[in-house]
Amino acid sequence: TQLLEQSPQFLSIQEGENLTVYCNSSSVFSSLQWYRQEPGEGPVLLVTVVTGGEVKKLKRLTFQFGDARKDSSLHITAAQPGDTGLYLCAGPPGYNFNKFYFGSGTKLNVKP
Amino acid sequence: GAVVSQHPSRVICKSGTSVKIECRSLDFQATTMFWYRQFPKKSLMLMATSNEGSKATYEQGVEKDKFLINHASLTLSTLTVTSAHPEDSSFYICSAREPRTRSGYTFGSGTRLTVV
């Protein structure tokens, strides 16, 4: 079983559409991070959320950390083909920094 | 910024042989490093946490004798896949914890292992 479950698993949309990716856990995380990964490469950090209820914006991307720090969401506005990739949430469970788990992943494909 | 170098980027080995993957922190000391395995189109699965000077902590279901991890210095951790089989073929990624960076964690670029 995955400590961090993401939904949807796959998403194929047209350019210009909006989308939301969810990351859920039954465990509390001291922080959660969102990454994007291209095939054959390491993951690239998009954002870190630390405070429950926190909202961060990165251009067309909006990230939210749940009040209870058990879930997070990533919303993309007006998706572009360049947004295509594997999106991963990740973090250390509780305050155990000797662990760092990734979510199950969401593969996004934005068609022109 | 903190950089982690992973080597080799690609390796092909014969069944039954062993292969070593290196993960180096280039400009910082990493007391904790992580090793992940990634199957095609899947997420990264934590295999083990490597702590300098002590034994690695393996996740449930990961064979310690198959995947040997050594963290002998503050800048180097190695993963050795012993007696490799085709089912060990995968993408392996290391990461180092560096609290002073924005993310706190820095990733290598990965190693594509193919066992033939």
Side-chain angles (χ1 to χ4, degrees):
Chain A
T1 55
Q2 197 93 28
L3 188 62
L4 288 164
E5 289 287 348
Q6 287 182 235
S7 62
Q9 188 176 359
F10 299 100
L11 195 54
S12 183
I13 60 173
Q14 292 292 140
E15 181 177 2
E17 293 184 7
N18 302 331
L19 66 115
T20 302
V21 177
Y22 299 93
C23 173
N24 294 287
S25 178
S26 58
S27 299
V28 174
F29 282 75
S30 56
S31 63
L32 275 179
Q33 299 181 338
W34 284 91
Y35 292 82
R36 190 172 86 184
Q37 186 186 26
E38 301 294 334
E41 299 179 8
V44 175
L45 177 72
L46 296 174
V47 78
T48 301
V49 285
V50 179
T51 307
E54 181 177 6
V55 176
K56 281 191 173 180
K57 291 190 176 183
L58 184 66
K59 297 183 180 178
R60 293 178 293 102
L61 279 60
T62 302
F63 304 86
Q64 187 164 6
F65 200 11
D67 291 339
R69 291 186 289 126
K70 292 183 178 181
D71 58 272
S72 181
S73 64
L74 157 62
H75 182 79
I76 300 179
T77 303
Q80 299 176 1
D83 296 327
T84 293
L86 179 65
Y87 288 82
L88 301 159
C89 62
Y95 289 90
N96 182 2
F97 297 106
N98 279 328
K99 300 287 186 182
F100 193 79
Y101 294 109
F102 279 84
S104 47
T106 296
K107 181 67 177 73
L108 171 65
N109 179 37
V110 182
K111 295 174 284 186
Chain B
V3 177
V4 168
S5 174
Q6 188 172 341
H7 180 79
S9 57
R10 292 177 180 271
V11 59
I12 301 173
C13 70
K14 292 184 178 181
S15 290
T17 63
S18 296
V19 61
K20 181 184 288 187
I21 302 170
E22 293 186 347
C23 182
R24 293 181 184 273
S25 57
L26 296 186
D27 48 3
F28 66 100
Q29 293 183 332
T31 56
T32 303
M33 288 187 173
F34 305 93
W35 287 95
Y36 296 88
R37 180 174 182 176
Q38 187 174 28
F39 292 101
K41 299 181 181 180
K42 298 292 184 181
S43 183
L44 283 72
M45 180 191 75
L46 180 63
M47 299 174 67
T49 302
S50 166
N51 292 294
E52 187 269 337
S54 63
K55 291 183 178 181
T57 304
Y58 289 81
E59 294 296 301
Q60 191 174 10
V62 178
E63 298 178 63
K64 300 178 182 181
D65 296 331
K66 159 67 79 175
F67 301 101
L68 297 179
I69 292 173
N70 184 283
H71 195 158
S73 79
L74 286 171
T75 59
L76 175 64
S77 177
T78 61
L79 167 66
T80 301
V81 183
T82 63
S83 187
H85 290 282
E87 55 265 33
D88 298 326
S89 298
S90 194
F91 193 56
Y92 294 88
I93 301 177
C94 70
S95 171
R97 175 167 152 74
E98 171 52 311
R100 294 174 298 177
T101 62
R102 182 171 71 94
S103 70
Y105 302 87
T106 303
F107 289 85
S109 53
T111 297
R112 169 72 60 193
L113 170 63
T114 303
V115 184
V116 298

